[in-house]
Amino acid sequence: MLVGLPSGRPALLSLLWAVAMSSSCLGKSIDEDRNQLLMREKMMQLGGKLVLRREEELANTKLMALKKAELMQAMKTQNFPPSMHFFQAKSLIEKSEVFHILKKMPKGAALHLHDFGILSMDWLVKNATYRPHCHFCFTPRGALQFKFAYPAPPTPAPTQCSEWILLEKYRKELQNVTEFDNSLLRNFTLVTENPDVEYANQDIIWSKFEAIFFTISGLVHYAPVFRDYIFQSLEEFYEDNVLYLELRAMLYPVYELNGTLHGRAWSVRTYKEVASMFAEKHPGFIGVKIIYSDHRFRNVSFIMESVRAAMELRTMFPSTVAGFDLVGHEDTGHSLYEYKEALMIPASRGVKLPYFFHAGETDWQGTSIDRNLLDALILNSTRIGHGFALSKHPAVWANSLKKDIPIEVCPISNQVLKLVSDLRNHPVAVLMATGYPMVVSSDDPAIFGAKGLSYDFYEAFMGIGGMAADLRTLKQLAMNSIKYSALLQSEKETAMETWEERWDKFVADVAGSPQ
Ligand SMILES: *[C@@H]1O[C@H](CO)[C@@H](O)[C@H](O)[C@H]1NC(C)=O
Ligand SMILES: *[C@@H]1O[C@H](CO)[C@@H](O)[C@H](O)[C@H]1NC(C)=O
Ligand SMILES: *[C@@H]1O[C@H](CO)[C@@H](O)[C@H](O)[C@H]1NC(C)=O
Ligand SMILES: *[C@@H]1O[C@H](CO)[C@@H](O)[C@H](O)[C@H]1NC(C)=O
Ligand SMILES: *[C@@H]1O[C@H](CO)[C@@H](O)[C@H](O)[C@H]1NC(C)=O
Ligand SMILES: *[C@@H]1O[C@H](CO)[C@@H](O)[C@H](O)[C@H]1NC(C)=O
Ligand SMILES: [Zn+2]
């Protein structure tokens, strides 16, 4: 085996000889080293320290066999859903056996969701717009607006909208209602056949994204729809095995048919009432909490008022209002630093107002926007929404790890909103590999054409986690969703018990399934 070494170097030769002789099998010592490294990395990754029960091991073996088969197939065909745009991947994901297991899996809680992006838009088209007294109009820029009113609402100023058209009457005169309903649906989601052509850059897709909220606003803020929207959303998440939700809600005024308006407190009370009514009919359901949110295009004085409103709401509804956040396109909005005067109000008054800031939902490293991550940390954010840029900030990363501040990862949102295209390259892969605390959520699934949490779990499990992620990863993610929720300690214990019961059933089901 020493053949080919240059001669005349007896010392080196004898050393090599000694090494070769001392381990009669050189291959074995390499194997030991790599096994040790592999074991260390396995322990470091998210969920790596969990010890599975025998039945869980069995379920894991079955799950991983399916996962491996799907990954091998993808490597062969070079067709891998997480590396494709979700709009194109969706139908492939639905064929995946791993996806079907993820749907059945008790996922715990969804901690990063926005009020009106969570229920399949079909429901708005098929139910809300079919209710009596629904009117619509077109803004000068071609956006749709809706309003329920009886008698008919006054004609808007032409700079605002066209004349109101009664939908019921309009539909009666149509040749093809299905076609019209499909066009409404296209107004309510970002889904399109050619996303890369239609949405050339982040600004373009963000403006369509915000336009959707503007368009559906008149539907979802109609009191009877508002109530049913909440109930139906809970139903959709419950069916996807999610037992608890935290919603970023703007709490805009809700209106009645006669024009009466309801304020924020009414809306919070309604969330609370609908959630408890839902819980009565759905065993194991835990509830809903609200993170009152305002838009980051508002000026500082406006946000000062919102922070005061948040403190007031939290005093009125301590068990329902969890805290405060700022939402909207980070790149074009105000930075947290610009809002510091407003955001320091609670601390300066000795009031505890938990923050749940969106931060680092950007590709622009080193900009003032990217520094939202620093300020989220300094302002004691309880969790960080997205934290997409966190791995680029080692000092923030280290401190937030020490303070156990989790990030809320929303893979499909990040892809659709053009932060990353191939989800194998999602920067959170690094954080996942080091066991950084995180939860998976779906942001605005209805607007992305997704549903519940399962699609995002699929992307995180198959794409971001790759072959390294297994049942431990999934279990950790589900447990994290309860651990890092805004539930009280006693509520968390109850929630964990409920989740565990369901988890054991799920594990038994997967472990016992024939293969
Ligand atoms: C909409 O759904 C509600 C229940 O959520 C139901 O009572 C109502 O009849 C439905 N309306 C239409 C127009 O489908
Ligand atoms: C109405 O439009 C839908 C969708 O475009 C189409 O599938 C259907 O065949 C049309 N129906 C009629 C009666 O033309
Ligand atoms: C939105 O709906 C209107 C009304 O049917 C339709 O004219 C328009 O094409 C739709 N927009 C999209 C993007 O489909
Ligand atoms: C408007 O409608 C709501 C809900 O139906 C009702 O409670 C309220 O009394 C009405 N207000 C007026 C001024 O008619
Ligand atoms: C802040 O915005 C509000 C409305 O959006 C406006 O009425 C107010 O004048 C603005 N204040 C400042 C200081 O610009
Ligand atoms: C954040 O927490 C630290 C340590 O508890 C405290 O000193 C500081 O005032 C807090 N800052 C805010 C903005 O709440
Ligand atoms: Zn969000």
Side-chain angles (χ1 to χ4, degrees):
M1 86 190 276
L2 296 175
V3 175
L5 278 176
S7 55
R9 299 164 80 175
L12 180 64
L13 272 180
S14 59
L15 183 66
L16 281 172
W17 185 246
V19 169
M21 292 312 287
S22 71
S23 77
S24 55
C25 175
L26 194 58
K28 186 177 160 234
S29 86
I30 284 181
D31 282 353
E32 264 171 24
D33 287 350
R34 63 199 297 279
N35 282 341
Q36 247 181 35
L37 280 175
L38 277 171
M39 278 311 288
R40 269 175 61 198
E41 292 201 335
K42 217 173 153 69
M43 293 286 285
M44 285 164 88
Q45 77 178 29
L46 190 77
K49 293 190 183 63
L50 291 178
V51 179
L52 298 183
R53 287 181 291 109
R54 214 182 60 86
E55 201 170 38
E56 286 175 316
E57 284 290 2
L58 198 56
N60 193 26
T61 306
K62 295 208 171 173
L63 172 67
M64 291 309 279
L66 291 173
K67 179 170 181 174
K68 191 170 176 190
E70 288 180 18
L71 278 164
M72 288 303 154
Q73 179 67 14
M75 286 174 80
K76 210 159 72 193
T77 60
Q78 292 291 303
N79 249 342
F80 187 43
S83 66
M84 297 158 68
H85 194 287
F86 178 67
F87 299 167
Q88 276 127 22
K90 188 183 171 197
S91 60
L92 293 177
I93 295 174
E94 285 163 356
K95 294 194 188 96
S96 151
E97 291 194 57
V98 171
F99 177 67
H100 289 287
I101 292 179
L102 293 174
K103 281 215 298 198
K104 281 192 289 184
M105 185 181 104
K107 287 168 279 288
L111 300 185
H112 188 122
L113 298 172
H114 295 266
D115 42 13
F116 297 117
I118 55 174
L119 170 60
S120 290
M121 292 295 178
D122 287 339
W123 186 84
L124 279 190
V125 175
K126 292 288 175 204
N127 184 295
T129 73
Y130 274 87
R131 295 181 189 219
H133 313 300
C134 184
H135 300 77
F136 74 105
C137 66
F138 290 96
T139 68
R141 297 177 64 189
L144 282 174
Q145 288 279 273
F146 294 87
K147 194 175 188 68
F148 289 89
Y150 186 77
T155 303
T159 52
Q160 298 285 311
C161 219
S162 67
E163 268 185 51
W164 291 110
I165 305 160
L166 186 62
L167 248 177
E168 205 178 331
K169 185 159 165 276
Y170 186 79
R171 276 205 179 95
K172 276 194 188 125
E173 289 159 10
L174 283 174
Q175 302 272 344
N176 191 332
V177 174
T178 313
E179 207 166 85
F180 173 72
D181 286 357
N182 289 343
S183 81
L184 290 186
L185 195 58
R186 283 197 305 276
N187 278 275
F188 295 174
T189 79
L190 288 169
V191 177
T192 173
E193 252 168 55
N194 273 313
D196 293 328
V197 176
E198 197 145 333
Y199 311 122
N201 61 48
Q202 292 179 359
D203 283 355
I204 291 174
I205 193 149
W206 266 93
S207 77
K208 167 94 196 250
F209 184 46
E210 303 250 344
I212 292 172
F213 286 108
F214 176 68
T215 286
I216 64 172
S217 160
L219 294 172
V220 296
H221 290 103
Y222 175 47
V225 174
F226 181 82
R227 234 181 250 112
D228 291 351
Y229 186 99
I230 302 170
F231 194 91
Q232 291 297 322
S233 305
L234 302 186
E235 191 80 62
E236 216 164 275
F237 274 81
Y238 187 80
E239 273 170 24
D240 199 37
N241 289 300
V242 178
L243 295 180
Y244 168 75
L245 287 76
E246 289 183 8
L247 299 175
R248 262 85 168 177
M250 317 274 284
L251 306 177
Y252 288 153
V254 172
Y255 68 98
E256 300 282 356
L257 197 59
N258 58 20
T260 303
L261 291 180
H262 302 291
R264 298 177 185 121
W266 182 93
S267 300
V268 174
R269 207 174 304 119
T270 304
Y271 272 111
K272 204 175 148 166
E273 282 167 13
V274 174
S276 52
M277 190 170 72
F278 185 87
E280 275 169 28
K281 297 183 186 162
H282 297 79
F285 183 75
I286 292 155
V288 172
K289 284 192 203 276
I290 299 298
I291 297 167
Y292 174 52
S293 303
D294 211 332
H295 204 290
R296 14 175 51 107
F297 72 62
R298 302 287 191 191
N299 60 36
V300 181
S301 43
F302 200 98
I303 296 302
M304 288 174 94
E305 280 312 309
S306 306
V307 168
R308 288 192 191 103
M311 294 192 299
E312 205 176 301
L313 285 170
R314 197 166 145 77
T315 309
M316 285 172 78
F317 304 99
S319 62
T320 305
V321 175
F324 183 71
D325 187 15
L326 289 152
V327 302
H329 191 193
E330 249 181 280
D331 284 348
T332 53
H334 289 288
S335 65
L336 292 177
Y337 191 68
E338 286 171 302
Y339 284 136
K340 62 178 187 293
E341 202 186 336
L343 300 175
M344 287 303 293
I345 292 175
S348 70
R349 293 205 203 151
V351 174
K352 177 82 191 131
L353 177 66
Y355 289 136
F356 297 83
F357 291 128
H358 278 71
E361 189 186 7
T362 186
D363 278 325
W364 296 105
Q365 184 176 9
T367 61
S368 59
I369 294 307
D370 179 58
R371 294 195 179 142
N372 280 342
L373 278 170
L374 277 65
D375 297 305
L377 175 72
I378 292 165
L379 292 163
N380 301 328
S381 199
T382 304
R383 300 191 300 261
I384 292 176
H386 295 290
F388 184 86
L390 183 59
S391 62
K392 297 172 183 173
H393 292 273
V396 179
W397 175 354
N399 277 7
S400 57
L401 180 65
K402 204 155 72 192
K403 289 171 77 176
D404 201 19
I405 300 173
I407 52 173
E408 304 158 347
V409 181
C410 307
I412 294 172
S413 167
N414 296 155
Q415 187 193 51
V416 172
L417 296 174
K418 295 181 86 78
L419 287 170
V420 57
S421 59
D422 184 334
L423 286 170
R424 290 173 299 177
N425 297 331
H426 195 294
V428 131
V430 179
L431 297 166
M432 208 183 226
T434 63
Y436 189 90
M438 64 181 68
V439 297
V440 167
S441 199
S442 50
D443 215 2
D444 301 282
I447 294 182
F448 310 136
K451 198 179 197 177
L453 281 190
S454 292
Y455 292 91
D456 283 277
F457 261 79
Y458 172 89
E459 303 281 19
F461 184 57
M462 297 293 278
I464 302 176
M467 204 55 217
D470 65 6
L471 192 69
R472 291 173 188 80
T473 319
L474 295 172
K475 187 178 183 184
Q476 189 71 60
L477 284 170
M479 292 195 306
N480 280 357
S481 75
I482 295 167
K483 175 177 176 190
Y484 294 110
S485 71
L487 291 167
L488 302 175
Q489 194 49 42
S490 60
E491 293 172 324
K492 281 184 190 175
E493 280 159 23
T494 316
M496 200 60 104
E497 273 169 31
T498 307
W499 173 80
E500 260 168 15
E501 228 171 78
R502 282 159 190 255
W503 176 261
D504 291 347
K505 276 207 195 96
F506 161 75
V507 166
D509 186 27
V510 176
S513 66
Q515 217 173 69

